[in-house]
Amino acid sequence: MVDMKYILDTEIKLISLHTTIDTIGYTMGTFVGLTYKWLNRQIVMAIAFIMMSGLYACTPLLTSLWQLYLFSFLFGFGSSINISGFIVWTIELWQPRSAPVLLLNSLGFGLGTIIGTAVTSMYTTGNIEPDKPLVPVDVRRDRLTVPSLFPSHHW
């Protein structure tokens, strides 16, 4: 998020609020589970997943702090829809044998967090030291865009 601090030209404490807003969206998204009596769960989860994919891909292109907050809220909202739908679905399908499947999901999340950070670390500039020159915002944005959008001109 240090790169986003420079791209959006703001303070790191304002950037770090996006996790709180993400959590608010996550909490609000849990209530979508109440609509599964009337809405098809598969379609709702698919729409949420497509929305999350688009938000993730467009995050490096943000130009203001309110856009980051909006994306964080919507990403948390969609994430909650998918996780709660998956958990309920797994329990319905596997019933007493659902615990290992749910634990595999948690393992996959943990591994994805580690691998995702390792893969994207080469594209982030990170913290700027006072004695080093500032990397231009366009360079930071281009480097963050590579793992998010995979533009063909970078391959």
Side-chain angles (χ1 to χ4, degrees):
M1 283 284 115
V2 174
D3 286 316
M4 291 303 289
K5 170 189 181 278
Y6 288 103
I7 289 172
L8 300 178
D9 192 28
T10 188
E11 299 176 27
I12 194 70
K13 69 180 164 178
L14 292 175
I15 293 289
S16 63
L17 282 176
H18 89 91
T19 55
T20 303
I21 294 169
D22 180 68
T23 305
I24 293 168
Y26 194 91
T27 304
M28 300 298 289
T30 57
F31 295 110
V32 172
L34 300 172
T35 66
Y36 290 147
K37 295 176 186 175
W38 307 284
L39 299 175
N40 185 324
R41 185 183 317 170
Q42 293 169 321
I43 294 173
V44 172
M45 289 174 66
I47 290 169
F49 187 74
I50 291 168
M51 177 186 70
M52 289 171 47
S53 299
L55 291 171
Y56 176 75
C58 294
T59 298
L61 305 175
L62 299 178
T63 57
S64 66
L65 194 58
W66 72 266
Q67 292 172 339
L68 177 67
Y69 291 163
L70 178 65
F71 273 40
S72 296
F73 178 83
L74 292 174
F75 194 86
F77 192 83
S79 178
S80 176
I81 290 171
N82 282 315
I83 292 298
S84 61
F86 166 77
I87 290 171
V88 170
W89 215 343
T90 303
I91 292 171
E92 286 175 357
L93 290 174
W94 293 80
Q95 294 182 0
R97 299 181 315 261
S98 63
V101 177
L102 294 173
L103 288 174
L104 278 174
N105 179 54
S106 297
L107 175 67
F109 177 80
L111 290 175
T113 302
I114 294 168
I115 293 169
T117 303
V119 168
T120 59
S121 66
M122 67 182 81
Y123 297 105
T124 57
T125 305
N127 201 2
I128 298 296
E129 297 175 19
D131 57 340
K132 290 187 179 181
L134 185 66
V135 177
V137 169
D138 291 337
V139 173
R140 287 175 179 271
R141 189 180 313 269
D142 287 344
R143 292 191 69 172
L144 287 175
T145 303
V146 173
S148 299
L149 297 176
F150 296 106
S152 59
H153 66 277
H154 287 289
W155 287 92

